[in-house]
Amino acid sequence: QVQLVESGGGLVQAGGSLRLSCVASGMIFSIDSMGWYRQAPGKQRELVATITGGGRTNYADSVKDRFTISRDAKNTRYLQMNSLKPEDTAVYYCNARIYSNQYRVSPDDYWGQGTQVTVSS
């Protein structure tokens, strides 16, 4: 099993910054990709940013040039969010696609519990 623990959400004024963290632990052979999705009230969950094990990044158009996803040497990923807007308000979920051993032919999908980000105008 794999656990994802997120931290770093909170309340910030428009134009401010927050940094989210996500730590993966458990049965991890390799990480295919990790990233962040968000869900605002009444809306579907949407991609924010992802980063592959090789370091390739992908961003939603709405956050390009404001958000940066990064990683450390182990199993932690960060989402630096700058120039926050009220429309960024949502629950942010960490997602990880992980191979638990070398025999798996495809990665398994895991989700964190979510962390609230609220941007006031």
Side-chain angles (χ1 to χ4, degrees):
Q1 267 291 23
V2 171
Q3 296 79 41
L4 302 179
V5 178
E6 303 139 330
S7 61
L11 172 65
V12 65
Q13 288 188 331
S17 299
L18 285 173
R19 188 173 86 152
L20 306 183
S21 300
C22 178
V23 181
S25 63
M27 294 186 63
I28 300 172
F29 174 72
S30 69
I31 296 176
D32 180 73
S33 69
M34 284 181 70
W36 298 90
Y37 290 70
R38 66 187 182 187
Q39 187 166 19
K43 294 188 176 181
Q44 289 190 332
R45 191 172 297 189
E46 63 177 4
L47 168 75
V48 178
T50 59
I51 184 167
T52 68
R56 188 172 68 249
T57 58
N58 181 43
Y59 294 93
D61 288 342
S62 59
V63 307
K64 279 180 183 176
D65 300 324
R66 298 189 298 123
F67 292 9
T68 302
I69 190 169
S70 63
R71 58 181 183 169
D72 67 2
K74 298 290 284 186
N75 298 331
T76 303
R77 303 297 183 265
Y78 306 96
L79 184 68
Q80 179 66 42
M81 304 185 293
N82 298 328
S83 302
L84 282 160
K85 304 175 181 180
E87 51 262 44
D88 295 318
T89 295
V91 178
Y92 283 69
Y93 295 92
C94 179
N95 169 263
R97 294 173 55 79
I98 291 174
Y99 293 92
S100 57
N101 60 66
Q102 66 267 41
Y103 306 111
R104 299 289 293 175
V105 296
S106 61
D108 293 311
D109 221 18
Y110 296 93
W111 293 91
Q113 78 283 1
T115 185
Q116 178 70 45
V117 171
T118 303
V119 184
S120 63
S121 57

